[in-house]
Amino acid sequence: MNKQVEIGNTGLRVTPIGFGANTIGAHNLFENIDEEVSRETLRVALQDGVDFFDSAFMYGLGRSEELIGEILAGTGRRSEVVLATKAAHIVTDASVKLDNSPAFLEKSVDIALERLRTDYIDLFYIHFPDGVTPPAEAVGALQRLKEAGKIRAIGVSNFSVDALRAANQDGYVDVVQDRYSLVYPELEADMIPYCIEQGISFIPYTPLASGLLTGKFTAQNPPQDFRKDRPHFQGQAYLDTVAKVTSLQELADRHHVSIANIVLATTLGIDGIDVVIPGAKSPAQVRANMQTLNAALTNEEIASVRALFK
């Protein structure tokens, strides 16, 4: 599975296991972020064949982008990777607001270019709809930036399917990113089919359901952080899912990979999904994610895993 794939019809070719950089420098989202560990994690990712990095302004209020830009500049490997980032938030001491206006998006792209130390961004997303700017108007602004050579592909994230249809009225949307995993399959009903119909690549975030699908949690050892308040981490639903995840160990052993690798490989086997972007806080997690490339699942195995979680 280690061959490169094209992200939809963008012309961007990457290894199907990307790097979700939401923990890199993200002091506003996570506790005890060590930036030197973040730097080393990025270096190891490059060394181990990661060539697709997904960031956002909200990951450290620009710090994730800065660290990625620093490492790529230091290694001279910018031309070897595909960079994705996102914007929509205006953060002040008093509030967080969303803005999709053309002026804001244009400014956001220029600032992201500076942080990433590059003169083009491969894939730029509107991170969230603001509920005010007409989606087609926002995407139209990105199309102009694409024509100007500042970005190479246009994405939207966290849009409803109706908002996506409005955003894509001129056929400009290349990629959609949204929450999806084997235990959060709701988007299979409408979003993913629409993306397939339109030739849009769908990139899931939280493909491991915030760790629920990794096999590291048990009935006796549930998470004790913010996750414990989420429905899938509570009561019988949690116990049922843990049992299903544990049952994947035999398949993982057969392929000499982890349960998480089986889940990621299964997700990559779903129509419309070209790449996944699991996060990594450490070099060890990068290496663990990349082991997914060794899980050559058959169509029957993929169907079996998906059926398990239906």
Side-chain angles (χ1 to χ4, degrees):
M1 195 199 293
N2 57 355
K3 64 179 181 180
Q4 288 189 320
V5 297
E6 183 178 5
I7 302 175
N9 298 312
T10 63
L12 304 173
R13 298 191 63 81
V14 298
T15 303
I17 304 297
F19 186 114
N22 63 320
T23 64
I24 299 298
H27 301 278
N28 62 321
L29 301 179
F30 299 93
E31 296 180 354
N32 303 317
I33 294 292
D34 183 328
E35 290 197 355
E36 198 47 54
V37 173
S38 292
R39 290 184 177 94
E40 183 60 18
T41 302
L42 291 170
R43 292 189 191 101
V44 168
L46 287 168
Q47 292 166 6
D48 283 27
V50 175
D51 55 12
F52 180 38
F53 293 84
D54 180 275
S55 189
F57 164 72
M58 279 301 287
Y59 305 164
L61 305 182
R63 190 59 179 150
S64 175
E65 294 172 330
E66 289 174 347
L67 289 171
I68 291 170
E70 174 191 322
I71 295 304
L72 289 176
T75 57
R77 297 182 64 177
R78 167 65 184 101
S79 63
E80 300 174 26
V81 306
V82 168
L83 288 180
T85 194
K86 320 172 197 72
H89 299 80
I90 299 175
V91 179
T92 67
D93 291 340
S95 67
V96 178
K97 298 180 180 178
L98 294 171
D99 193 344
N100 293 174
S101 67
F104 173 82
L105 293 174
E106 290 163 9
K107 181 179 178 182
S108 294
V109 167
D110 285 340
I111 294 173
L113 287 168
E114 293 178 11
R115 292 194 189 105
L116 290 165
R117 304 191 193 187
T118 184
D119 55 5
Y120 67 96
I121 294 168
D122 297 285
L123 171 56
F124 190 88
Y125 294 92
I126 301 171
H127 202 165
F128 281 85
D130 65 7
V132 177
T133 308
E137 181 180 319
V139 169
L142 295 187
Q143 177 64 20
R144 291 190 292 275
L145 292 168
K146 183 177 179 179
E147 292 167 356
K150 291 187 176 183
I151 66 177
R152 296 177 64 192
I154 294 168
V156 298
S157 182
N158 301 296
F159 275 48
S160 69
V161 70
D162 288 338
L164 172 58
R165 289 191 180 100
N168 194 45
Q169 71 175 33
D170 298 309
Y172 292 152
V173 176
D174 297 303
V175 183
V176 166
Q177 187 176 131
D178 212 323
R179 187 184 78 160
Y180 173 87
S181 72
L182 298 180
V183 292
Y184 303 128
E186 295 82 3
L187 298 184
E188 292 180 16
D190 50 18
M191 179 72 77
I192 294 177
Y194 176 79
C195 289
I196 293 171
E197 172 192 307
Q198 297 294 314
I200 296 170
S201 185
F202 179 83
I203 297 181
Y205 66 76
T206 62
L208 296 172
S210 301
L212 181 58
L213 297 178
T214 62
K216 66 181 179 181
F217 297 122
T218 66
Q220 295 76 32
N221 179 39
Q224 297 302 313
D225 55 17
F226 66 92
R227 290 172 288 195
K228 68 180 184 295
D229 298 321
R230 294 182 174 178
H232 277 85
F233 285 91
Q234 297 179 347
Q236 193 60 45
Y238 172 73
L239 296 176
D240 289 346
T241 301
V242 165
K244 293 174 182 178
V245 172
T246 302
S247 74
L248 295 176
Q249 188 64 59
E250 181 181 348
L251 180 60
D253 291 343
R254 195 183 313 155
H255 286 274
H256 307 289
V257 297
S258 70
I259 289 174
N261 297 145
I262 293 297
V263 170
L264 292 174
T266 298
T267 304
L268 284 169
I270 296 171
D271 287 347
I273 297 178
D274 302 307
V275 298
V276 292
I277 48 170
K281 292 182 181 178
S282 67
Q285 289 180 344
V286 170
R287 295 186 176 110
N289 290 335
M290 291 298 280
Q291 287 299 310
T292 303
L293 299 174
N294 296 325
L297 302 186
T298 66
N299 291 335
E300 291 76 14
E301 288 170 334
I302 290 170
S304 175
V305 175
R306 294 185 68 190
L308 180 65
F309 291 93
K310 292 296 185 183

